[in-house]
Amino acid sequence: MSRTVVDAADLERRVKDMYTQVALEPQARYHFEMGREMASRLGYTKEELDAAPAASIESFAGVGYYFGLANLRAGEHVVDLGSGSGMDSFIAAHKVGVNGQVTGIDMTDAQLAKADRLGKEHAFRSVQFRRAFIDATGLSDRCCDVVISNGVINLSPDKDAVFREAARLLRPGGRLA
């Protein structure tokens, strides 16, 4: 059986380059769909999308809708692995309310800058974004109730490490969606 070896450094560079462009030029043509229309087709409601800054939605490149599975509740702490420009983080913030907290994790400087700017412009006080890798967030053990991730695990060369990190972050009874 043949096994493909992934050059992790090359993959990281390519992903960063691609998603830098997605943050800076969301109207450009890509080999994947993006934006509000696609998010609606995935299952996001009008109310959820209206609650997020439009500029975060235009750079949304997720692959599914998981908020029904995540079942976020008021006051919970959520970690969003691969938060990009923040659409899912902002939606999660509305669901967990003012007593909840959302931490977005991304490795792409342009995505983080956009998400951070949008969070400040739209007064999302319970959302923070930090530069880190999804398999090494730097967050404390058992720091959250829910880990969410929308497709970025597919881009990781070490998926087992990502799932170990998610398990480490979750409090007993926590959920991964």
Side-chain angles (χ1 to χ4, degrees):
M1 175 159 66
S2 169
R3 186 175 170 144
T4 303
V5 177
V6 174
D7 180 337
D10 182 56
L11 178 61
E12 178 184 329
R13 181 189 56 76
R14 288 173 185 255
V15 170
K16 282 181 177 178
D17 289 349
M18 174 64 65
Y19 288 94
T20 293
Q21 292 307 308
V22 165
L24 299 175
E25 298 179 45
Q27 304 309 322
R29 291 181 61 123
Y30 297 97
H31 67 277
F32 48 85
E33 289 185 77
M34 293 174 24
R36 187 178 182 108
E37 184 178 320
M38 191 262 299
S40 293
R41 280 198 318 278
L42 291 173
Y44 288 84
T45 66
K46 179 183 182 323
E47 294 76 24
E48 287 168 330
L49 295 173
D50 288 348
S56 71
I57 299 168
E58 69 183 7
S59 292
F60 172 72
V63 298
Y65 178 81
Y66 52 71
F67 281 108
L69 176 65
N71 189 31
L72 300 181
R73 298 183 285 268
E76 290 188 313
H77 182 184
V78 178
V79 173
D80 182 1
L81 299 179
S83 54
S85 291
M87 184 187 97
D88 283 337
S89 293
F90 297 130
I91 291 171
H94 276 282
K95 293 181 180 296
V96 300
V98 295
N99 294 322
Q101 182 181 354
V102 178
T103 303
I105 302 293
D106 209 280
M107 68 174 187
T108 309
D109 292 335
Q111 292 280 11
L112 288 166
K114 185 173 186 177
D116 193 51
R117 177 181 53 80
L118 292 170
K120 288 177 177 141
E121 286 175 4
H122 295 270
F124 279 91
R125 290 175 185 78
S126 63
V127 180
Q128 64 177 330
F129 296 96
R130 66 185 286 157
R131 185 184 193 293
F133 294 95
I134 63 172
D135 61 354
T137 63
L139 298 172
S140 303
D141 291 354
R142 295 181 288 285
C143 67
C144 69
D145 303 291
V146 184
V147 172
I148 59 176
S149 187
N150 201 334
V152 74
I153 296 170
N154 290 327
L155 302 174
S156 172
D158 189 350
K159 291 161 186 49
D160 289 343
V162 176
F163 287 111
R164 280 192 303 275
E165 181 69 356
R168 185 187 69 76
L169 296 173
L170 288 169
R171 293 180 180 129
R175 305 175 307 284
L176 169 65

